[in-house]
Amino acid sequence: MTEVVDRPTGNAAVPTEGRAANSPAAAVSAADEQPAVDVAALGEQLLGKWAHIRRQARALAARPELHKTEGLTHTEHRKRTFGQLQYLVDNEAVHRAFPTALGGSDDHGGNVAGFEELVTADPSLQIKAGVQWGLFGSAVMHLGTEAHHSKWLPGIMSLAIPGCFAMTETGHGSDVASIATTATYDPAKQEFVVHTPFRAAWKDYIGNAAIDGLGAVVFAQLVTNGVSHGVHAFYMDLRDPLTKEFLPGIGGEDDGVKGGLNGIDNGRLHFNNVRIPRANLLNRYGNVAPDGTYSSPIASPGRRFFTMLGTLVQGRVSLDGAAVAASKMALKTAIQYATERRQFNASSSTDEEVLLDYQRHQRRLFTRLATTYAASFAHEQLLQKFDDVFSGTHDTDEDRQDLETLAAALKPLSTWHALDTLQECREACGGAGFLIENRFASLRADLDVYVTFEGDNTILLQLVAKRLLADYAKEFRNVDFGVLARYVVGQATDVAIHRTGLRQVAQFVADTGSVQKAALALRDEEGQRTLLTDRVQSMVAEVGAALKGANKLPQHQGAAIFNQHQNELIDAAQAHAELLQWEAFTDALRKISDPGTKTVMTWLRDLFGLSLVEKNLSWYLMNGRLSMQRGRTVGDYINRLLVKIRPHAVDLVDAFGYGPDHLRAAIASGAEKIRQDEAREFFRMQRASGDAPVDEKAILARKKIEAGLPRH
Amino acid sequence: MTEVVDRPTGNAAVPTEGRAANSPAAAVSAADEQPAVDVAALGEQLLGKWAHIRRQARALAARPELHKTEGLTHTEHRKRTFGQLQYLVDNEAVHRAFPTALGGSDDHGGNVAGFEELVTADPSLQIKAGVQWGLFGSAVMHLGTEAHHSKWLPGIMSLAIPGCFAMTETGHGSDVASIATTATYDPAKQEFVVHTPFRAAWKDYIGNAAIDGLGAVVFAQLVTNGVSHGVHAFYMDLRDPLTKEFLPGIGGEDDGVKGGLNGIDNGRLHFNNVRIPRANLLNRYGNVAPDGTYSSPIASPGRRFFTMLGTLVQGRVSLDGAAVAASKMALKTAIQYATERRQFNASSSTDEEVLLDYQRHQRRLFTRLATTYAASFAHEQLLQKFDDVFSGTHDTDEDRQDLETLAAALKPLSTWHALDTLQECREACGGAGFLIENRFASLRADLDVYVTFEGDNTILLQLVAKRLLADYAKEFRNVDFGVLARYVVGQATDVAIHRTGLRQVAQFVADTGSVQKAALALRDEEGQRTLLTDRVQSMVAEVGAALKGANKLPQHQGAAIFNQHQNELIDAAQAHAELLQWEAFTDALRKISDPGTKTVMTWLRDLFGLSLVEKNLSWYLMNGRLSMQRGRTVGDYINRLLVKIRPHAVDLVDAFGYGPDHLRAAIASGAEKIRQDEAREFFRMQRASGDAPVDEKAILARKKIEAGLPRH
């Protein structure tokens, strides 16, 4: 087995005097030329721009009052979570995004950073708080105007009005534009009549709907003067605050037990010609005058719809961050355990190996560690972009589109990654991983729905793909599309430069020369960048060429062609999102000043980049971007990186900064080390005493030797 | 979109007269040349050799008394499950494997077939029954002798003695040979003293240990006359049958809530010099005379250990079958729903697409459908092999080794596949998939531990890999190993024939010519077989060459070399297991007589084979087995297969034979179709009435036309 220590000597966490040149530790370090990670500095970098708020939120999330109690019924869990929301209000944890005038602090990025950390206490708490203040409250704030703010926000902020964000219907989740609930204006009474026309139009999966919701923002097709103006948001009282009974015309159902997040009372709602005042239309983007005349600052109904939905992007942003946080916790626990747990004694007759010295175990955990770092740095960029837009610092139409594309690209990858990581870590800890006391299974169950709510991951990647295609088309508006695409795909040298989504891809080719040349250096930053960027670009070009002219065909045929390339489109979007993660990781490397940290983090970034190349190796081979011979080196190089990273694994998960009150996993506590040490000491003492029973195998071997037989 | 009907006309389920040549259905069928699946015949084939027992077991599993009640606390769930065990006894469902003399029927294969089907009622029930009769009872039966059978089996069979299979310890799960509990013989009192020397030696994760277990088979290192003879099994009373308190010297703990299977009371046990009679040693494979003399029919301690463990292989066999059953249920529900659920109207201004017409949705579900069929046919082969061995029909040492290798190869693939399929199906059903009422999340949580218990999947694949290497070494004992390996790897033509595990691989090459030639026909059975077999063979040869001589190095160095290739070894084992699945599917095709069924099932087998090739495409390219150009056709061919399979998808999941009482998923009931039909009818009526509100977009478009502006 590879000989390693669990932490390199010369760790920056050790006081400087401990690393004096003449100390034994320094001598070992010098002999090994082993770099060391500055855990504190790396931790600070990971905390990012809103470090102070993350620290506050983590301190809060460490309190037992907010922790998930395992084994509760969903009824008990719901009660506990609702109580915790009040605790958050009392501790001023959830009002940062609201207007300063109402007691908030107009801090959008900081608000999301704080919310994300709640996942460490209980994902149900994160999401229930997200429903109340991130969706219900945000809809009133972003879609309503001054009068709505002063009327409802104080009660929403204080939790006097627990409320629902009633958008999704049983029949329409991904295709929100097609929801069927109607709000028809009645000029005679100056009221909207909200109505559910059939069963598929019931609001469904709505948090706070089953029990707690007194109010709701209801999304419905606004109809006035015989014209449907598309989806708008309406404020509605749902229940009598005293009796908690539904108001007349309103009914509902409980969604019951779910695969996770059972602290939230999801439910269904339906409306039978429920009348609400005209003023309850949240009218920032569309208004109805007393006589029924509709007006909007945005002429295009399509753009208006996407602008309204765009104000709610923070849900995706915060899921991205929470998914990263959960991955970090899982890896800290599994890697800690893997340095203590021993099994099988292949390389010694007395000592068993620690799990983390097994190559496969390293592959399972370190590739996911690398991806978690990439996702973490990418999330920080997303959060800053989000803050730039919502603070108004950079809030053009293009900024908003870029933000939405970035969120749509990163949220799928990070949420799928969290499920994959929680599962791999649980399996890597065997039976112990399955016990709820070690939290993997609990977190995985709760985070499961993150991959389909706030935008189904597969749908989001298609939004990204459409943006990539649109940019591609824009770039080549005046060029013969088919010929160019063949050129781009068929020839890897001198690839034409164009934009795909947020990135000016391929411009590096101009700087660095041909793709082939760059690809020769798999280990180089520019080599990796070239391979990853070229793939996105070529995939988009290829699909773009195949789809050329599809929009001029009859609708039916155009859709069929599009559908024939749906799988490739989604793959291209995923490749783009992976590139964004890789770029974020690479940008983060530039901000590291400590040389040891930079060296180790560069190995980790290389592991991430090379893992992406390995995953898609067939593409690189089939498209002539890597030779067969070079392709065969990718796996070996990854294996060598694993060995290099091994001594730093604990430092790298310690830098995540989650303590025992966040992890709360029995096997992250060092308990396994105590058990292993006790067992080894027992056998050591037994051998020393001479009382150990003799192994039958040893006797047989001796007999064979005595009889002159071969031992094997 | 691709135009399809959900079922082809001319379905074999339709009475023959309905398919007369002059009927409209036949006319359509002839025009389309659309084959039809004989659902009943295919269903019968899937039921396999023990069809009658599967039918009985399914009828039983359909009863509400045995169904999982969702939302219970683990305490309540445990009570319910324990009660259900008695129900199984009362209904004669669990004694088939026991001796006829004691009321069983000596039917080993049938017994496992029946157990597997219980997973459809509640996985906790399957596993709790498996603990009682499959592990505890089997250990007494297979490791004990006549006196043990007559003394304990009746009580075990009747559930008068609920018991534990106490093998795993906190410190040793995968490496059972290293468990630390000791049973030291005291000739003075003719008793064994069972003792737990330290915390890591506590028995852990033991079903029935926390609450219900009155007895146990305890595995411990047998020590007599100062010699340790390795792991043996001992019968032990655990609790007082009246008070349910632990007997003196015995203690324990509750493992608490788990990620799933909470109907089972897993717990920990420890022993403080607990004395049991000499006769409690289950002495079939090792005995201790009154004076302490040890004897065994198996001289080698290593072979003795593996023989004892080998008698318990049925646990792995039944997990393989249960995992396949769960995958079938998930796919039936998700595919049914996908033919009813509609979202987005890309190809029509009035009708939305059903999900199953989307290419990506087909990819997600049909590739897993193909794998499920492959795993189902492979399981039937495993079950027959198991029955051959345990019935004594074919029970040589080699048969037992083959059985163990086959179980170790198939159980990892099917259990991982079940988790993957349950998750993909849950995501494919969106928010509805997350509701417990649709069962994906519940089944997934319960099956999670199947991938690590009864042999951790990663460990099992390493057992397979070792067998492959051993066969490889045996085949080339007298050949220059290094040269040959290079020859085999470097040259694909005229590949030497050797055995890998259970299969005589590569002998087809002699029949069909060169690998290159065969590889030209991706769609051909022999082409797929060549590609899949060649990969296993070459990977094993490559690792074999790298490991050559490692066993002659010092232990430490040998282990290090082995570890450097651990990842490749596991990949090779997985490739072998996939080949076994593919071969089982291909064998099953030969047994299909109906031409339509054969055509469709061949497409499905091709989809399975080509998906494996696509997954490992980089290997085929790097090793010169497929050209770049041919590699690019694999994805397209898969896409074309999806379109062909689409009309038969419902037939293919109906053939699984699970009814509403097994599925018990709200969305498998046709409820979505009713909702969709109601919604579409509402809009149709509204359009017909002329009362529909006009869409603002339509008005804007008309205005643009009137103003002479372009519409787009």
Side-chain angles (χ1 to χ4, degrees):
Chain A
M1 307 294 284
T2 316
E3 273 283 293
V4 291
V5 290
D6 285 336
R7 276 168 200 265
T9 51
N11 186 307
V14 177
T16 314
E17 57 269 35
R19 296 193 287 144
N22 57 354
S23 76
V28 170
S29 180
D32 291 346
E33 298 203 49
Q34 183 68 270
V37 173
D38 183 340
V39 175
L42 181 57
E44 198 61 34
Q45 185 177 2
L46 284 165
L47 285 170
K49 180 172 174 182
W50 291 275
H52 59 295
I53 291 176
R54 289 200 189 274
R55 284 211 175 80
Q56 284 171 21
R58 288 187 186 188
L60 195 65
R63 296 190 198 165
E65 293 92 330
L66 294 183
H67 294 169
K68 181 175 181 181
T69 305
E70 300 290 351
L72 298 181
T73 62
H74 74 295
T75 309
E76 295 161 346
H77 192 183
R78 288 169 171 187
K79 281 193 193 126
R80 178 171 172 83
T81 307
F82 186 68
Q84 290 169 335
L85 289 198
Q86 193 62 54
Y87 189 91
L88 293 180
V89 172
D90 297 344
N91 285 276
E92 300 176 353
V94 283
H95 294 158
R96 294 185 184 95
F98 290 103
T100 311
L102 295 171
S105 46
D106 284 308
D107 180 358
H108 298 273
N111 180 60
V112 170
F115 261 90
E116 289 165 6
E117 298 291 342
L118 295 178
V119 79
T120 64
D122 183 352
S124 284
L125 177 61
Q126 186 218 348
I127 300 302
K128 179 113 174 166
V131 167
Q132 175 66 16
W133 297 293
L135 290 171
F136 177 50
S138 281
V140 171
M141 183 165 70
H142 292 303
L143 302 179
T145 46
E146 191 52 41
H148 303 123
H149 297 174
S150 52
K151 183 167 183 185
W152 290 308
L153 284 184
I156 292 172
M157 290 167 70
S158 72
L159 203 63
I161 316 171
C164 303
F165 180 82
M167 178 186 274
T168 296
E169 297 175 355
T170 306
H172 288 98
S174 295
D175 184 9
V176 172
S178 297
I179 57 169
T181 302
T182 47
T184 308
Y185 185 64
D186 174 3
K189 299 198 173 172
Q190 297 203 22
E191 288 173 340
F192 285 102
V193 183
V194 179
H195 188 64
T196 307
F198 42 74
R199 174 62 188 82
W202 285 24
K203 297 297 175 185
D204 207 344
Y205 318 110
I206 309 297
N208 283 338
I211 307 283
D212 296 325
L214 297 180
V217 170
V218 176
F219 289 79
Q221 304 285 353
L222 189 160
V223 179
T224 179
N225 289 336
V227 176
S228 176
H229 293 277
V231 177
H232 287 65
F234 301 83
Y235 188 94
M236 186 187 283
D237 293 317
L238 279 187
R239 289 183 168 90
D240 181 310
L242 297 176
T243 66
K244 314 281 182 188
E245 296 292 320
F246 277 128
L247 296 174
I250 302 176
E253 262 181 11
D254 193 326
D255 275 325
V257 181
K258 304 184 299 292
L261 293 185
N262 279 307
I264 306 164
D265 56 319
N266 294 80
R268 301 171 182 130
L269 297 170
H270 52 84
F271 312 103
N272 184 12
N273 291 310
V274 177
R275 288 184 166 264
I276 55 173
R278 184 180 68 93
N280 280 26
L281 167 64
L282 299 176
N283 62 349
R284 180 166 167 195
Y285 295 106
N287 197 25
V288 171
D291 69 349
T293 306
Y294 180 83
S295 62
S296 167
I298 305 175
S300 156
R303 243 193 85 215
R304 188 191 309 142
F305 173 71
F306 286 109
T307 302
M308 288 169 69
L309 256 60
T311 63
L312 306 164
V313 70
Q314 70 175 1
R316 287 173 194 168
V317 178
S318 66
L319 294 188
D320 185 56
V324 170
S327 301
K328 288 175 177 173
M329 290 201 295
L331 285 164
K332 163 64 186 166
T333 299
I335 286 179
Q336 183 71 46
Y337 181 68
T339 63
E340 299 174 3
R341 174 73 174 180
R342 292 171 182 277
Q343 202 79 174
F344 293 108
N345 58 338
S347 67
S348 153
S349 56
T350 52
D351 286 337
E352 297 164 289
E353 311 298 331
V354 297
L355 298 189
L356 203 57
D357 285 341
Y358 287 104
Q359 184 189 52
R360 182 73 163 201
H361 218 78
Q362 293 170 2
R363 268 234 175 207
R364 294 164 76 179
L365 298 182
F366 295 171
T367 51
R368 289 170 175 87
L369 179 64
T371 305
T372 300
Y373 264 93
S376 184
F377 292 129
H379 174 66
E380 178 71 11
Q381 291 187 347
L382 172 61
L383 196 54
Q384 295 202 17
K385 182 95 199 158
F386 168 75
D387 190 66
D388 283 352
V389 167
F390 280 75
S391 69
T393 315
H394 298 285
D395 186 18
T396 64
D397 261 15
E398 198 181 351
D399 286 322
R400 292 207 167 226
Q401 280 176 36
D402 283 354
L403 169 61
E404 276 163 44
T405 307
L406 189 58
L410 296 183
K411 180 264 186 184
L413 265 59
S414 60
T415 53
W416 272 327
H417 173 67
L419 296 192
D420 171 62
T421 300
L422 285 160
Q423 182 65 21
E424 197 69 37
C425 288
R426 118 83 191 119
E427 292 181 28
C429 297
F434 192 58
L435 301 185
I436 282 293
E437 66 178 32
N438 290 317
R439 291 193 70 212
F440 301 116
S442 172
L443 280 167
R444 201 210 162 280
D446 287 331
L447 264 72
D448 186 348
V449 77
Y450 286 39
V451 303
T452 52
F453 73 0
E454 293 286 322
D456 174 90
N457 283 0
T458 304
I459 302 287
L460 291 179
L461 288 177
Q462 289 178 77
L463 293 181
V464 174
K466 280 176 188 169
R467 169 70 189 276
L468 295 173
L469 282 175
D471 285 357
Y472 180 77
K474 213 183 292 172
E475 200 74 32
F476 292 108
R477 191 171 290 159
N478 301 313
V479 184
D480 178 338
F481 205 104
V483 169
L484 181 73
R486 277 195 298 280
Y487 173 75
V488 171
V489 175
Q491 301 207 25
T493 39
D494 297 323
V495 180
I497 295 160
H498 67 84
R499 297 184 64 217
T500 51
L502 306 180
R503 288 295 178 279
Q504 297 282 351
V505 299
Q507 67 195 15
F508 60 89
V509 176
D511 308 328
T512 61
S514 76
V515 171
Q516 267 91 350
K517 183 179 148 201
L520 289 178
L522 281 172
R523 275 169 278 196
D524 284 1
E525 187 167 300
E526 288 313 310
Q528 290 169 37
R529 190 195 303 276
T530 304
L531 287 171
L532 298 175
T533 311
D534 178 38
R535 181 160 176 262
V536 178
Q537 175 186 38
S538 303
M539 289 173 90
V540 172
E542 192 163 4
V543 184
L547 295 182
K548 183 166 157 57
N551 59 344
K552 297 195 185 77
L553 293 172
Q555 184 178 9
H556 187 85
Q557 290 174 34
I561 291 180
F562 205 84
N563 192 42
Q564 283 160 23
H565 295 277
Q566 189 190 27
N567 195 57
E568 290 164 64
L569 265 174
I570 293 169
D571 286 350
Q574 176 152 351
H576 175 68
E578 288 164 349
L579 170 63
L580 298 180
Q581 290 184 324
W582 183 91
E583 288 187 342
F585 201 149
T586 302
D587 286 349
L589 288 182
R590 298 209 185 92
K591 292 174 194 141
I592 298 172
S593 52
D594 175 66
T597 307
K598 194 160 200 158
T599 299
V600 174
M601 287 291 285
T602 303
W603 291 336
L604 199 66
R605 193 278 320 272
D606 289 349
L607 178 60
F608 178 63
L610 274 291
S611 296
L612 291 177
V613 171
E614 186 181 56
K615 187 175 71 160
N616 301 300
L617 193 51
S618 63
W619 189 91
Y620 291 105
L621 294 163
M622 283 190 298
N623 290 278
R625 304 312 199 268
L626 284 177
S627 68
M628 283 159 59
Q629 198 174 1
R630 188 149 295 274
R632 287 179 69 96
T633 67
V634 176
D636 289 342
Y637 187 52
I638 286 175
N639 288 340
R640 289 203 298 277
L641 283 170
L642 298 176
V643 174
K644 285 183 181 179
I645 291 166
R646 165 69 181 91
H648 310 283
V650 172
D651 282 347
L652 290 170
V653 290
D654 280 352
F656 293 151
Y658 290 111
D661 294 333
H662 302 112
L663 301 172
R664 305 192 303 281
I667 55 169
S669 67
E672 181 64 19
K673 185 174 187 317
I674 294 168
R675 286 193 291 264
Q676 292 286 343
D677 288 349
E678 183 197 4
R680 295 166 87 197
E681 180 62 12
F682 172 87
F683 286 120
R684 199 190 61 75
M685 293 285 285
Q686 198 184 47
R687 284 193 301 271
S689 73
D691 291 343
V694 183
D695 194 305
E696 183 189 346
K697 288 180 197 166
I699 297 173
L700 288 176
R702 202 173 55 223
K703 280 186 187 158
K704 280 186 182 174
I705 290 167
E706 287 164 5
L709 294 168
R711 228 183 125 174
H712 290 287
Chain B
M1 309 295 283
T2 316
E3 273 283 293
V4 292
V5 289
D6 285 337
R7 278 168 199 265
T9 51
N11 186 308
V14 177
T16 313
E17 57 270 32
R19 297 194 286 145
N22 59 353
S23 75
V28 169
S29 181
D32 291 345
E33 296 203 50
Q34 184 69 271
V37 173
D38 183 339
V39 175
L42 181 58
E44 198 62 33
Q45 185 176 1
L46 284 166
L47 285 170
K49 180 173 175 181
W50 291 275
H52 59 294
I53 291 177
R54 288 197 189 276
R55 284 212 175 81
Q56 284 171 20
R58 289 186 187 188
L60 196 64
R63 296 190 198 164
E65 294 91 332
L66 294 182
H67 294 169
K68 181 175 182 181
T69 305
E70 301 290 353
L72 297 181
T73 63
H74 73 294
T75 310
E76 296 161 345
H77 192 182
R78 287 170 172 188
K79 281 193 191 125
R80 178 171 172 84
T81 307
F82 186 67
Q84 290 169 336
L85 290 197
Q86 193 60 56
Y87 189 92
L88 294 181
V89 172
D90 297 344
N91 284 278
E92 300 177 354
V94 283
H95 294 159
R96 294 184 184 96
F98 291 104
T100 312
L102 295 171
S105 46
D106 284 309
D107 180 357
H108 298 273
N111 180 59
V112 170
F115 262 90
E116 289 165 7
E117 298 290 343
L118 294 179
V119 77
T120 64
D122 183 351
S124 284
L125 177 60
Q126 185 218 348
I127 300 302
K128 179 115 174 165
V131 167
Q132 175 67 18
W133 296 292
L135 290 172
F136 177 50
S138 280
V140 172
M141 183 165 69
H142 292 303
L143 303 179
T145 46
E146 193 51 40
H148 303 123
H149 296 174
S150 53
K151 183 165 184 187
W152 290 307
L153 284 185
I156 292 172
M157 291 167 70
S158 71
L159 203 62
I161 317 171
C164 303
F165 180 81
M167 177 186 273
T168 295
E169 298 175 355
T170 305
H172 289 97
S174 295
D175 183 10
V176 173
S178 298
I179 58 169
T181 302
T182 49
T184 309
Y185 184 64
D186 174 3
K189 299 199 172 171
Q190 296 201 24
E191 288 173 339
F192 285 101
V193 183
V194 179
H195 188 63
T196 307
F198 42 73
R199 174 63 187 83
W202 285 23
K203 298 296 175 186
D204 207 346
Y205 319 110
I206 309 297
N208 282 339
I211 307 283
D212 297 326
L214 296 180
V217 170
V218 175
F219 289 79
Q221 304 286 352
L222 189 161
V223 179
T224 180
N225 290 336
V227 177
S228 176
H229 292 277
V231 176
H232 286 66
F234 301 83
Y235 189 94
M236 188 186 281
D237 292 317
L238 280 187
R239 288 183 168 90
D240 182 309
L242 297 175
T243 66
K244 314 283 181 190
E245 297 292 319
F246 277 128
L247 295 174
I250 303 176
E253 263 180 12
D254 194 325
D255 275 327
V257 182
K258 305 184 299 293
L261 294 185
N262 280 306
I264 304 164
D265 56 321
N266 293 81
R268 300 172 182 130
L269 298 170
H270 51 83
F271 312 104
N272 184 12
N273 292 309
V274 176
R275 289 184 164 266
I276 55 173
R278 184 180 68 93
N280 280 26
L281 168 63
L282 300 176
N283 62 350
R284 180 166 168 195
Y285 295 107
N287 197 25
V288 172
D291 69 350
T293 306
Y294 180 83
S295 62
S296 168
I298 305 176
S300 157
R303 241 193 86 215
R304 189 191 309 142
F305 173 72
F306 286 109
T307 303
M308 289 168 69
L309 256 60
T311 62
L312 306 164
V313 70
Q314 70 176 2
R316 289 173 194 167
V317 178
S318 67
L319 295 188
D320 185 56
V324 171
S327 302
K328 288 175 177 173
M329 290 201 295
L331 285 163
K332 164 64 186 167
T333 299
I335 286 178
Q336 183 70 45
Y337 181 68
T339 63
E340 299 174 2
R341 174 73 173 180
R342 292 170 182 275
Q343 202 81 171
F344 293 109
N345 59 337
S347 67
S348 154
S349 55
T350 51
D351 286 338
E352 296 165 290
E353 311 299 332
V354 296
L355 298 189
L356 203 58
D357 285 342
Y358 287 104
Q359 185 190 50
R360 181 74 164 200
H361 218 78
Q362 293 171 1
R363 266 232 176 212
R364 294 165 75 180
L365 298 181
F366 295 171
T367 52
R368 289 169 175 88
L369 178 64
T371 306
T372 300
Y373 265 93
S376 184
F377 292 128
H379 174 67
E380 178 70 11
Q381 290 188 348
L382 171 61
L383 195 56
Q384 295 202 17
K385 182 96 199 156
F386 167 77
D387 191 66
D388 283 352
V389 167
F390 280 76
S391 69
T393 314
H394 298 286
D395 186 17
T396 64
D397 261 13
E398 198 182 350
D399 286 323
R400 291 205 170 230
Q401 280 176 35
D402 283 354
L403 169 61
E404 276 163 45
T405 307
L406 190 57
L410 297 182
K411 179 263 187 185
L413 265 58
S414 61
T415 53
W416 273 326
H417 173 67
L419 296 192
D420 172 61
T421 300
L422 285 160
Q423 182 65 21
E424 197 69 37
C425 288
R426 117 84 191 117
E427 293 181 28
C429 297
F434 192 57
L435 301 184
I436 282 294
E437 67 178 31
N438 290 317
R439 291 193 68 213
F440 301 116
S442 173
L443 280 167
R444 200 210 163 282
D446 286 330
L447 264 73
D448 186 347
V449 78
Y450 286 39
V451 303
T452 52
F453 74 0
E454 293 286 322
D456 174 272
N457 283 0
T458 304
I459 302 287
L460 291 179
L461 288 176
Q462 288 177 79
L463 293 181
V464 175
K466 280 175 189 170
R467 168 71 188 276
L468 295 174
L469 282 175
D471 286 356
Y472 180 77
K474 211 182 293 171
E475 199 74 32
F476 292 109
R477 190 172 289 158
N478 301 314
V479 183
D480 178 336
F481 204 104
V483 170
L484 181 73
R486 277 195 299 280
Y487 172 76
V488 171
V489 175
Q491 300 207 25
T493 40
D494 295 322
V495 180
I497 295 160
H498 67 84
R499 298 184 63 217
T500 51
L502 305 180
R503 286 296 178 277
Q504 297 282 352
V505 298
Q507 68 194 18
F508 59 91
V509 176
D511 308 328
T512 61
S514 75
V515 172
Q516 267 91 351
K517 183 179 146 199
L520 289 178
L522 281 172
R523 275 167 279 194
D524 283 2
E525 187 168 301
E526 289 312 310
Q528 291 169 36
R529 189 195 303 274
T530 305
L531 287 171
L532 298 175
T533 311
D534 178 38
R535 180 160 175 262
V536 178
Q537 175 185 40
S538 303
M539 289 173 89
V540 172
E542 192 163 3
V543 183
L547 296 182
K548 182 166 157 57
N551 60 345
K552 297 197 183 77
L553 292 173
Q555 185 178 9
H556 187 85
Q557 288 173 34
I561 291 179
F562 205 84
N563 192 42
Q564 283 159 23
H565 296 276
Q566 189 189 28
N567 196 58
E568 290 163 65
L569 266 173
I570 294 170
D571 286 350
Q574 175 151 352
H576 175 68
E578 288 164 349
L579 170 64
L580 298 180
Q581 291 184 325
W582 183 91
E583 288 186 343
F585 201 149
T586 301
D587 285 350
L589 288 182
R590 297 207 186 93
K591 292 171 194 143
I592 298 172
S593 52
D594 175 66
T597 307
K598 194 160 199 159
T599 300
V600 174
M601 287 292 285
T602 303
W603 292 335
L604 199 65
R605 193 278 319 271
D606 289 348
L607 178 59
F608 178 64
L610 275 291
S611 295
L612 292 176
V613 172
E614 186 182 55
K615 186 175 71 162
N616 302 300
L617 193 50
S618 63
W619 188 91
Y620 291 104
L621 294 163
M622 284 190 299
N623 291 279
R625 303 311 199 269
L626 285 177
S627 67
M628 283 159 58
Q629 198 176 2
R630 188 149 296 274
R632 287 179 69 97
T633 67
V634 175
D636 289 342
Y637 187 53
I638 287 176
N639 288 340
R640 288 202 297 278
L641 283 170
L642 299 176
V643 174
K644 286 184 182 177
I645 291 166
R646 166 66 182 93
H648 310 283
V650 171
D651 283 346
L652 290 170
V653 291
D654 280 352
F656 294 151
Y658 291 110
D661 294 333
H662 302 113
L663 302 172
R664 305 193 304 283
I667 55 169
S669 66
E672 181 65 18
K673 184 172 188 319
I674 295 168
R675 285 193 291 264
Q676 293 286 343
D677 288 348
E678 182 196 5
R680 295 165 87 196
E681 179 62 12
F682 172 88
F683 288 119
R684 200 191 59 76
M685 293 286 284
Q686 200 184 45
R687 284 193 300 272
S689 72
D691 290 343
V694 183
D695 194 305
E696 183 190 347
K697 289 178 197 165
I699 296 174
L700 288 175
R702 199 172 58 225
K703 280 186 188 158
K704 279 186 183 172
I705 290 167
E706 286 164 5
L709 294 168
R711 228 183 125 173
H712 289 289

